[in-house]
Amino acid sequence: MSEYPVHRVGYNENPFASSHSLDTNPFEDPATSQADAARLESIRQREADLERRQRDLDQREQQLQHHGKNNWPFFFPLIYHDISVEIPEASRPLINRLYQLWLVLLGTLVLNMIACIFILIAGSSDGGRDVGAAIGYLFIITVTSFLLWYRPIYNGYMKEQALYYYFYFFFCGFHLLFSVYMIIGVPRYPTLKVFRGNCSPRLPFSSTGSAGLIQTIQMFAGHHWVAAILGLVATVGWTLQGLGNAFYYRQIYTHHTAAGHTMEKASSRMFILALAFEPLIFQSFQAKTELASHGAKAYFTRG
């Protein structure tokens, strides 16, 4: 027996095989290999980021195709209006209530006009003027209320810009005063008629265009029941939308204060807009038309 152990090589084992893989370069610098691996990882990350951006673009394109088209008013779409898409979730109930109040206002204007027509039929001396004023209110108040107080607060919650809040506070304040005027049916002045040197007021008062409390009481007193009931319903409509707007006016003011909106921020925004428009004052009519178009898009979109 030999003193030294004999290493027996199996038939399947190659005694000349290298312990290094043939794919590995023995002369390669390990630092260079790590740098290449880092570059490959960076490339993979960039590719993943590009794929994510492409998916985002595709989603936005689909949203524009389905949600970006004009949809309001439904019978003749002029603008895009969708509270569930454009307004943050926490503020949607408030904007929905304001939109419902605007619809109540629209319905009240229609009822007010119809009531004034029946007041004219009942024999009111100024019924014709009331009907004319009521028709004017139907068209003018409908448009101006949407553009001057509803849309600004819609934009305010959508974009959270101080300027829109101040637009709302200013014009909605006037609307609240107008609502009080229409609820009461405040006459502008009494007409006077001279009887043998004496001045005596001739009722009813001068036209207001409102089938408010004064007109309604007169119709009940004269037993003109249809005109009286329509006037009462119109008065209730003015009261509901007026009280509702007053309630939310205060709630919006609280939100506006908590959000840190100030007159300075609104003024700076107005100043920036003025600087942007100043070079275009003396431009051509076509340039001014394009400017107006861009301004309208900014007012009725997220931009």
Side-chain angles (χ1 to χ4, degrees):
M1 296 292 294
S2 172
E3 297 178 358
Y4 301 99
V6 178
H7 178 69
R8 297 181 182 277
V9 179
Y11 291 106
N12 295 328
E13 183 178 352
N14 184 359
F16 302 102
S18 174
S19 60
H20 299 284
S21 173
L22 294 176
D23 296 332
T24 303
N25 185 356
F27 303 102
E28 185 178 16
D29 187 359
T32 304
S33 178
Q34 293 178 0
D36 290 340
R39 280 196 294 270
L40 288 174
E41 182 63 25
S42 176
I43 291 172
R44 292 192 190 98
Q45 291 179 356
R46 290 179 183 179
E47 289 178 349
D49 186 53
L50 289 174
E51 291 177 358
R52 180 182 58 80
R53 291 183 180 181
Q54 185 62 41
R55 287 194 301 269
D56 291 342
L57 289 174
D58 292 340
Q59 290 177 358
R60 290 181 182 180
E61 184 177 358
Q62 291 177 359
Q63 289 178 354
L64 288 174
Q65 289 176 354
H66 296 286
H67 303 290
K69 297 180 181 179
N70 294 341
N71 61 353
W72 194 94
F74 67 91
F75 54 87
F76 190 75
L78 294 173
I79 63 172
Y80 179 68
H81 177 272
D82 194 336
I83 296 173
S84 63
V85 173
E86 294 188 303
I87 304 300
E89 185 176 359
S91 304
R92 287 172 194 168
L94 171 64
I95 301 301
N96 273 314
R97 295 292 181 272
L98 290 175
Y99 182 61
Q100 291 167 2
L101 285 173
W102 183 83
L103 293 177
V104 171
L105 171 63
L106 178 59
T108 302
L109 287 166
V110 174
L111 283 173
N112 181 75
M113 181 190 68
I114 297 173
C116 286
I117 292 174
F118 277 89
I119 290 172
L120 172 63
I121 295 173
S124 174
S125 59
D126 282 330
R129 295 179 183 178
D130 284 326
V131 172
I135 293 173
Y137 291 155
L138 175 61
F139 292 100
I140 295 172
I141 301 301
T142 298
V143 175
T144 55
S145 62
F146 186 88
L147 294 178
L148 297 181
W149 65 259
Y150 173 72
R151 190 67 200 196
I153 197 58
Y154 185 97
N155 288 349
Y157 276 89
M158 177 173 64
K159 304 178 183 183
E160 281 300 336
Q161 293 181 1
L163 184 60
Y164 290 114
Y165 283 92
Y166 282 101
F167 277 157
Y168 166 78
F169 292 138
F170 182 78
F171 289 109
C172 189
F174 274 106
H175 176 72
L176 292 175
L177 294 176
F178 177 76
S179 296
V180 174
Y181 172 84
M182 296 298 286
I183 290 169
I184 302 174
V186 180
R188 288 178 294 179
Y189 54 86
T191 56
L192 299 178
K193 188 174 182 179
V194 178
F195 290 100
R196 297 179 182 179
N198 295 323
C199 292
S200 60
R202 184 187 65 188
L203 296 177
F205 293 97
S206 180
S207 59
T208 63
S210 168
L213 284 175
I214 292 178
Q215 295 272 36
T216 300
I217 292 171
Q218 290 177 351
M219 291 301 106
F220 274 115
H223 304 290
H224 304 292
W225 304 115
V226 176
I229 292 172
L230 287 172
L232 180 61
V233 174
T235 302
V236 171
W238 286 115
T239 304
L240 285 177
Q241 65 84 33
L243 291 176
N245 275 303
F247 174 78
Y248 289 114
Y249 189 95
R250 183 174 181 178
Q251 186 173 335
I252 291 168
Y253 184 81
T254 302
H255 167 80
H256 145 84
T257 304
H261 298 304
T262 61
M263 182 61 75
E264 288 76 15
K265 291 182 179 180
S267 300
S268 63
R269 178 66 178 173
M270 184 69 76
F271 181 71
I272 292 172
L273 293 175
L275 290 178
F277 291 157
E278 183 180 5
L280 300 173
I281 294 177
F282 300 102
Q283 295 294 328
S284 64
F285 177 77
Q286 181 179 1
K288 292 179 181 180
T289 304
E290 293 178 355
L291 174 63
S293 176
H294 287 304
K297 288 180 179 178
Y299 193 71
F300 293 110
T301 61
R302 289 177 179 267

